[in-house]
Amino acid sequence: MIAFQVVINGKATYTVSSQSIANVMATIRGDSTINGKEPPMLDIGSLTEEHAHITWSRQSLEVGDQITINVVDVPASEITEPVAVRQIDPELIELEQRTHYEQLKKQYENS
């Protein structure tokens, strides 16, 4: 199975994939670190074709941490279990998309 192996400071920490993944996202958030309120955070998650949000990691980072993402081919047994899976209501997605469409339509039709 093709997967993404996340290596933090030289240690393979997470191997993420799924049969139904639409995409995998590794996000390093640092917006609240500028004023020293929170440390930078590493979030690793995915959206599936079935409209579920999978979370594998949400951890703080420190100055000097090194993060590497490798594309690997591993047996399914080596995939890290997610810490959370949240189903997203398809009707809610459609409503959000429709609202966004209507806002853009209004914005560009009145130009």
Side-chain angles (χ1 to χ4, degrees):
M1 167 183 282
I2 299 298
F4 301 96
Q5 182 182 61
V6 180
V7 179
I8 301 174
N9 298 326
K11 179 183 172 201
T13 307
Y14 307 98
T15 304
V16 299
S17 187
S18 168
Q19 295 294 338
S20 62
I21 281 184
N23 59 54
V24 172
M25 300 164 284
T27 306
I28 299 173
R29 298 180 317 125
D31 53 338
S32 14
T33 63
I34 295 170
N35 297 321
K37 293 179 185 174
E38 295 179 22
M41 300 291 292
L42 171 65
D43 294 328
I44 301 170
S46 174
L47 295 175
T48 69
E49 295 170 353
E50 294 82 24
H51 305 288
H53 184 261
I54 300 173
T55 302
W56 281 281
S57 166
R58 183 163 195 227
Q59 72 179 68
S60 60
L61 299 171
E62 297 179 8
V63 172
D65 281 348
Q66 186 174 35
I67 301 161
T68 306
I69 300 174
N70 300 309
V71 179
V72 295
D73 190 0
V74 297
S77 61
E78 291 186 24
I79 302 301
T80 304
E81 286 293 320
V83 295
V85 178
R86 181 175 50 95
Q87 189 66 38
I88 302 170
D89 182 1
E91 290 180 10
L92 179 60
I93 293 170
E94 185 177 343
L95 177 62
E96 289 174 351
Q97 290 174 339
R98 170 61 66 177
T99 302
H100 185 69
Y101 166 76
E102 294 295 340
Q103 289 171 341
L104 290 174
K105 182 178 173 184
K106 187 181 211 181
Q107 176 183 346
Y108 288 105
E109 284 183 350
N110 294 333
S111 305

